[in-house]
Structure formats: C-alpha cells, structure tokens
C-alpha cells in the first residue's frame, strides 16, 4: 500500500532539539528539516541577531555577548524562547536551533514543556570535528538582506559576494573571526557539552556524524525520526 506524504509526516516526532557545536550545521539542517516537515524553525542566534539589527532593548542587552561569543544571560534567552514556543505556528511542532545552551536552559525547557503537556521531544546531536568547524565558520558568509547562508568553498554564491536569491551583499558574522571562533569553542566545551551528557543520561540523544555532506546528514536525521 502506498504511504502518503501526510502519513509519513504524522509518524515523525515533531518536537526536535538540534544540538551541536558552532558551525556543526544546525542552521543549515534546521532549515531543511523545517521545509521537509513543515515545522517552525526557532533559531535563538537568528532572533538575537535580528534584535541587534533592529536595535531593540533585547538587541542592546545581547549585542556585546553575541559579538564576543559569550552566552547571553539565561533569563533573557529563556523568556524569549518560551514566548516563541507559545505562538500559533509552533502548535504543529518545532525545531529548536541554539537552545538549550547550558544545563539550566535544558531544565527550564523540560519544565516549560512539562507544564504544557508537550514533554515528548527528540534531541539530535550534530557531531562535528574541530577541523571541520573552523573551516565552516571561517568560510561562512551571510546575506545582509535576506540572511541566506553561504560558504566560500562549500556553498559559494553564483556571483562574487552577492546573494543568489536577492542580490544582497554578503558579509562575515563578527563572531566568525578567528579569535571569536576560539572563544565560542571554549564556551561550547564549558557550557554546552554538559547538555549532551544531560540528554544522554535521559536517553534522548541521537548522534549523527555531521562532518558528512549536508544531504547525507539530513537523510540520516529523517531516518531516525521516521523510526521513532
Ligand atoms: P548561534 O547563531 O546559535 O551560533 P552557533 O551555535 O555558534 O551556531 P552557528 O550559527 O555558528 O552554526 P550552525 O551550527 O548553525 O552552522 P551553519 O548551518 O550556519 O548563536 C550565536 C550567539 O548567540 C551565541 O554565541 C550566543 O552569544 C548567542 N546565543 C544563541 N543562543 C543562545 C542561548 N540559547 N543562550 C545564550 N546565548 C545564546 O553552517 C556553518 C557553515 O558551514 C555555513 O557556511 C554552511 O553553508 C556550511 N555547512 C553546514 N553544513 C555543512 C555540511 N554538511 N557540509 C559542508 N558545509 C556545511
């Protein structure tokens, strides 16, 4: 019997946390998964960068943390995420990209989803080597206009330094400079690696080798979600 796209979608776990170091491909994979499964993509990094561009109160508070690669205080980020999780477009599920970032945030997420009766979620860990991380972050370029993500060698724009979609100018994120990458990796090791252990203990963690081509990584994640 033929299985329809809707049947396949129903069989997915629709609440997903994507975990992994800077440059692992969380944003890239979250975008593909959200298109494939029609789920809301919630990227804390994107929300914070937008607030900084718009110079909102949140942006003013977050700017120095984001640009130096430090974590923005939990109280600000957790409030921002829990509000977003109550929005209408999240009712069918979500992909969280960039949250939780430490064990306190993971606990807050569990408490919030528990109270909402939505405790059932999957955690996918994008396992990436340091050499690949440095190569990916160093070569990443973003469209100033539509925020599309490119890479100088892995996913180059068709025309030099301009976006294929909207011809916007491409730029390098301030936190993708060499010294800040080093700091982000240190922060990851200290603050976020314990989150992997937290989910591993709770038997939620599914690891994918994210050094591979992005299409292969996506396929492995979809296989995992289908089998759950
Ligand atoms: P955030 O934006 O979340 O940064 P990050 O976690 O460091 O992740 P990145 O966006 O750098 O990488 P990614 O894994 O999404 O990789 P991408 O897909 O772009 O956070 C930024 C800052 O905000 C933080 O430092 C902090 O200050 C603050 N913040 C955010 N969340 C917070 C929280 N919860 N609490 C406190 N503070 C918070 O890919 C990278 C490049 O590689 C791209 O060019 C892409 O084209 C390429 N690429 C991707 N996958 C592949 C592949 N498989 N093969 C080849 N190339 C690939």
């Amino acid at each position: 019997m033929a299985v329809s796209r809707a049947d396949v979608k129903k069989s997915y776990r629709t609440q997903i946390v994507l975990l992994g170091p800077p440059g692992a491909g969380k944003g890239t994979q979250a975008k593909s998964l959200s298109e494939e499964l029609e789920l809301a993509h919630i990227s804390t990094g994107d929300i914070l960068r937008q607030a900084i561009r718009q110079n909102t109160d949140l942006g003013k508070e977050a700017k120095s943390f984001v640009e130096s690669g430090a974590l923005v205080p939990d109280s600000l980020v957790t409030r921002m995420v829990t509000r977003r999780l109550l929005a209408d477009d999240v009712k069918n599920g979500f992909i969280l990209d960039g949250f939780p970032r430490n064990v306190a945030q993971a606990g807050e997420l569990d408490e919030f989803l528990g109270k909402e009766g939505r405790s059932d979620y999957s955690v996918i860990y994008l396992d990436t080597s340091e050499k690949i991380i440095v190569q990916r972050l160093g070569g990443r370029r973003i469209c100033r206009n539509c925020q599309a993500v490119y890479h100088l060698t892995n996913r180059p724009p068709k025309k030099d330094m301009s976006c294929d979609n909207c011809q916007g100018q491409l730029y390098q994120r301030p936190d993708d400079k060499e010294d800040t990458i080093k700091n982000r990796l240190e922060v990851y090791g200290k603050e976020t690696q314990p989150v992997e252990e937290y989910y591993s203990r709770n038997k939620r963690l599914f690891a994918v080798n994210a050094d591979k081509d992005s299409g292969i990584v996506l396929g492995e994640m979809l296989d995992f979600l289908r089998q759950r």
Side-chain angles (χ1 to χ4, degrees):
M1 195 178 64
V3 179
S4 73
R5 189 182 155 84
D7 287 335
V8 173
K9 263 202 238 145
K10 262 190 242 153
S11 71
Y12 281 73
R13 291 276 168 126
T14 52
Q15 303 198 121
I16 302 164
V17 166
L18 273 190
L19 204 62
K26 298 180 297 297
T28 303
Q29 295 300 339
K31 181 170 185 294
S32 302
L33 272 181
S34 77
E35 285 165 4
E36 188 71 32
L37 304 176
E38 294 173 19
L39 299 175
H41 171 193
I42 303 174
S43 159
T44 46
D46 286 350
I47 299 172
L48 291 166
R49 280 184 291 277
Q50 186 184 28
I52 293 170
R53 280 196 302 280
Q54 294 173 342
N55 205 24
T56 63
D57 289 345
L58 171 66
K60 283 179 201 152
E61 286 197 70
K63 190 174 192 307
S64 62
F65 296 101
V66 172
E67 291 184 352
S68 66
L71 292 188
V72 174
D74 289 348
S75 55
L76 286 180
V77 181
T78 303
R79 193 166 1 120
M80 174 182 105
V81 170
T82 50
R83 273 197 196 141
R84 181 70 186 86
L85 286 171
L86 291 170
D88 272 354
D89 68 320
V90 182
K91 292 214 170 93
N92 290 334
F94 59 76
I95 302 162
L96 265 180
D97 154 15
F99 188 94
R101 214 53 168 236
N102 58 28
V103 172
Q105 292 181 9
E108 294 274 0
L109 179 67
D110 279 341
E111 197 184 324
F112 174 82
L113 291 175
K115 278 188 194 148
E116 290 285 304
R118 295 158 67 185
S119 302
D120 192 13
Y121 64 96
S122 303
V123 182
I124 301 180
Y125 168 57
L126 299 179
D127 191 7
T128 327
S129 59
E130 190 162 326
K131 192 170 150 224
I132 291 278
I133 291 171
V134 172
Q135 189 269 355
R136 285 186 187 165
L137 293 180
R140 175 166 56 186
R141 296 294 182 273
I142 314 281
C143 172
R144 225 176 253 293
N145 185 39
C146 72
Q147 318 307 318
V149 178
Y150 293 87
H151 190 280
L152 294 179
T153 51
N154 305 358
R155 190 174 180 261
K158 291 193 185 104
K159 228 178 104 200
D160 226 14
M161 296 310 282
S162 81
C163 176
D164 295 349
N165 307 329
C166 71
Q167 284 74 55
Q169 196 193 14
L170 304 191
Y171 79 103
Q172 183 174 36
R173 266 170 50 175
D175 60 344
D176 277 349
K177 304 271 161 63
E178 208 176 315
D179 278 357
T180 318
I181 292 176
K182 203 165 151 256
N183 189 31
R184 285 162 70 197
L185 288 173
E186 278 172 19
V187 170
Y188 183 84
K190 207 166 132 221
E191 300 276 348
T192 315
Q193 240 156 11
V195 180
E196 290 168 34
E197 289 142 29
Y198 175 90
Y199 284 129
S200 192
R201 269 199 312 278
N202 296 352
K203 310 244 180 296
R204 278 194 197 264
L205 197 74
F206 173 73
V208 176
N209 177 353
D211 281 357
K212 294 184 191 164
D213 177 83
S214 51
I216 297 175
V217 177
L218 177 65
E220 289 184 10
M221 292 193 300
L222 288 171
D223 283 347
F224 159 73
L225 292 166
R226 217 174 267 130
Q227 282 158 21
R228 294 225 21 177

